[in-house]
Amino acid sequence: MRVCILGTGYVGLTTGVCLAYTGHQVTCIDPVAEKIELLRGGGIPIYEPHLEDLAARARGNLSFSTNYEDGVPLADVIFIAVGTPPLPDGSPDLRYLRAAAQGVGAHYKGEFVVIVNKSTVPIGSGNWTGSLLREHLPESNFAVASNPEFLREGSAVFDSLYPDRIVVGSDKARGLETLYSLYRPILDQTFPAPTFLPRPDGLGAVPLVSTDLASAELIKYAANAFLSLKISFINEIGRLAENVGADIRQVAKGIGLDSRIGGKFLQAGLGWGGSCFGKDTSALISTAREYNLAMSIVEAAREVNQRQRDRVVEKLQAEFKILKGRTIGLLGLAFKPHTDDLREAPAIDIARRLIERGCKVKAHDPVSMPRFRKEHPDSGVLLASDPGELAADCDALVLVTEWPEYRDLDWDSIGARMRSRTVLDGRLVLDAAHLTSRGFRCLGVCG
Ligand code: UDX
């Protein structure tokens, strides 16, 4: 099928590359000329494991352009995957979505096309997109669909090729049928698995959930809100665990083995960051408000998440009594490992709070330091080229992002460079017994 993708962010680019790899002719369109130049030359403008390799293998089916004329006029399916950044009141800014829908309406020349909202859009956006398109195209020429993505940064390619489910929503049967055909190779897992990303053992056919538009739109918000509250739940239990002398990791294991609960997203620590959970929970609350509904559980999950970040300052203050003049080193800046994304990253908040209290803050991250320099030039945070340099003269190290390389540091040589051997494990991944045996004082955000 001929596919056109509008927007080459994490979602658009990963979707485009994966659909090209599974045999479709894909044109990715983005107004930023430098990005398109880079993509044409085989580069990838974001840090996402395996995306460059997969794009290289799909090259024959992929093209890139800044111009709607090159992909929209005869497409069978057009994905709108533009940004929907949050406005100050928490609701998403829909101006790029509007421009994309109007651009499609103005350029489409074929007989029938499915226009798919792939960005996380407010409930009702499908109807709105339809009304914008009707200003340019007859109703019989198009169907609007919602196809929410569930890909995680850092494992976006894996999640797209081997998803838990695919959700498609449309108010027209022809729209749904077109999307079944598009996703058939992934639903039936008939594409050859890339050698660098083998198909998981036992993965059979991928379930398809086909719905009306509003249900598909709500599924996305409900999924992200549920995952957010699972994390906040374990963090709240973690606070209690700390007080009663329980180990939250054991508690998470003990409840997670109940198949009704499940063990995923029960990793206690500094809580969630990233571009999705904060934005989507806030949008869900603001949508509910339009209907005079309160999302009290979701609101509580957000509060608990914010509180986890305060814990770092509280714990360090309890330990050192005076924070002014202390040097604190942050291990990790990205909001999670295997990405360089700093949006809503706990590290940024924590650094700011520590600096406000008179600390000198240093940081290290294996991949996100160049992006940090660009996006936070005035943060006051000093960047260190490796964990050893970070440790020099630190009163404490805080593990903020659980990059695998931080688990097995040479703690003897790290400790030798520190002013005091104190580590706060913000993700509960370090071996506290080992650290204690090397003379470290080991603190956790939950015990
Ligand atoms: C999320 C959703 O998982 C994905 O389905 C959606 O479509 C986009 O948003 P992403 O934000 O990329 O993906 O990362 P995810 O792996 O979900 O982690 C989000 C945050 O939660 C990270 O900051 C992570 O550190 C934190 N987290 C995750 C925890 O604190 N504990 C956990 O147990 C899991």
Side-chain angles (χ1 to χ4, degrees):
M1 294 173 95
R2 283 161 303 192
V3 179
C4 177
I5 313 259
L6 305 178
T8 59
Y10 284 98
V11 174
L13 196 54
T14 309
T15 305
V17 169
C18 290
L19 288 174
Y21 181 75
T22 59
H24 301 292
Q25 287 299 323
V26 178
T27 307
C28 296
I29 296 182
D30 196 289
V32 183
E34 305 90 81
K35 255 189 178 188
I36 293 301
E37 272 318 300
L38 179 70
L39 286 161
R40 281 182 174 152
I44 295 286
I46 54 175
Y47 178 89
E48 184 57 46
H50 305 305
L51 195 54
E52 191 166 341
D53 291 338
L54 200 72
R57 278 163 185 72
R59 189 130 308 273
N61 287 345
L62 261 178
S63 58
F64 300 97
S65 174
T66 51
N67 192 345
Y68 276 32
E69 284 293 335
D70 292 331
V72 170
L74 295 175
D76 300 304
V77 181
I78 299 172
F79 283 94
I80 302 183
V82 295
T84 52
L87 288 167
D89 70 352
S91 62
D93 183 348
L94 298 179
R95 89 182 93 150
Y96 305 110
L97 179 62
R98 174 195 290 274
Q102 287 171 333
V104 168
H107 289 89
Y108 183 68
K109 303 270 185 301
E111 273 173 23
F112 184 78
V113 62
V114 184
I115 289 117
V116 188
N117 271 333
K118 189 82 177 163
S119 310
T120 304
V121 292
I123 297 151
S125 295
N127 284 352
W128 184 63
T129 307
S131 76
L132 293 172
L133 288 163
R134 272 192 295 276
E135 289 172 14
H136 301 270
L137 299 174
E139 179 77 47
S140 56
N141 267 185
F142 71 90
V144 175
S146 164
N147 169 219
E149 56 74 27
F150 303 104
L151 55 88
R152 293 161 298 171
E153 287 181 25
S155 49
V157 175
F158 180 91
D159 291 348
S160 302
L161 291 179
Y162 310 120
D164 288 340
R165 78 302 205 186
I166 290 179
V167 175
V168 289
S170 178
D171 291 337
K172 287 187 188 165
R174 193 169 170 192
L176 292 172
E177 281 153 19
T178 306
L179 292 181
Y180 304 155
S181 310
L182 181 78
Y183 281 120
R184 188 55 62 205
I186 295 179
L187 289 166
D188 296 344
Q189 289 291 304
T190 46
F191 62 88
T195 45
F196 50 84
L197 210 56
R199 183 169 282 119
D201 286 342
L203 180 72
V206 171
L208 175 77
V209 180
S210 92
T211 72
D212 57 275
L213 269 176
S215 302
E217 289 168 350
L218 183 54
I219 285 170
K220 172 65 200 251
Y221 284 104
N224 273 356
F226 190 81
L227 292 170
S228 311
L229 55 101
K230 223 176 156 188
I231 300 169
S232 283
F233 175 80
I234 201 65
N235 283 333
E236 189 157 77
I237 295 290
R239 299 287 292 273
L240 183 61
E242 181 176 6
N243 279 277
V244 302
D247 179 344
I248 189 61
R249 282 164 291 199
Q250 298 295 328
V251 176
K253 189 173 175 195
I255 63 172
L257 284 169
D258 183 328
S259 59
R260 292 170 302 174
I261 296 175
K264 291 182 180 161
F265 276 67
L266 286 181
Q267 193 187 321
L270 288 170
W272 81 71
S275 66
C276 289
F277 288 173
K279 180 168 80 107
D280 293 353
T281 49
S282 157
L284 194 61
I285 290 166
S286 94
T287 301
R289 209 174 286 134
E290 289 172 24
Y291 296 84
N292 283 327
L293 293 172
M295 290 270 133
S296 11
I297 298 181
V298 182
E299 282 180 19
R302 288 172 59 84
E303 275 168 37
V304 170
N305 195 55
Q306 209 48 42
R307 232 193 289 141
Q308 289 308 98
R309 300 178 182 195
D310 298 332
R311 297 284 288 153
V312 173
V313 174
E314 288 165 14
K315 284 265 176 173
L316 292 175
Q317 204 155 34
E319 184 67 16
F320 294 118
K321 312 298 180 218
I322 292 174
L323 280 180
K324 233 182 245 355
R326 304 280 177 193
T327 301
I328 309 295
L330 305 183
L331 283 163
L333 286 166
F335 84 96
K336 65 179 224 177
H338 310 294
T339 178
D340 66 348
D341 198 337
L342 297 160
R343 285 175 289 178
E344 306 257 339
I348 313 285
D349 240 2
I350 291 166
R352 186 178 43 76
R353 288 171 206 212
L354 290 169
I355 290 170
E356 278 167 10
R357 281 162 181 79
C359 294
K360 176 170 158 186
V361 176
K362 300 165 73 179
H364 171 264
D365 189 285
V367 298
S368 72
M369 293 200 293
R371 192 159 167 182
F372 183 83
R373 270 192 205 96
K374 209 157 95 196
E375 294 179 4
H376 299 274
D378 303 318
S379 68
V381 175
L382 306 167
L383 297 179
S385 57
D386 57 62
E389 191 192 312
L390 177 76
D393 296 325
C394 276
D395 293 285
L397 290 178
V398 182
L399 186 131
V400 184
T401 315
E402 68 279 32
W403 284 98
E405 49 266 62
Y406 293 157
R407 290 172 198 237
D408 303 310
L409 291 173
D410 176 352
W411 289 105
D412 282 329
S413 72
I414 295 272
R417 303 187 70 172
M418 294 177 72
R419 195 175 294 143
S420 108
R421 292 187 174 220
T422 303
V423 170
L424 195 165
D425 182 0
R427 297 292 178 181
L428 305 188
V429 292
L430 299 176
D431 181 346
H434 174 71
L435 278 163
T436 310
S437 75
R438 314 321 298 171
F440 277 87
R441 172 112 171 92
C442 210
L443 314 168
V445 269
C446 311

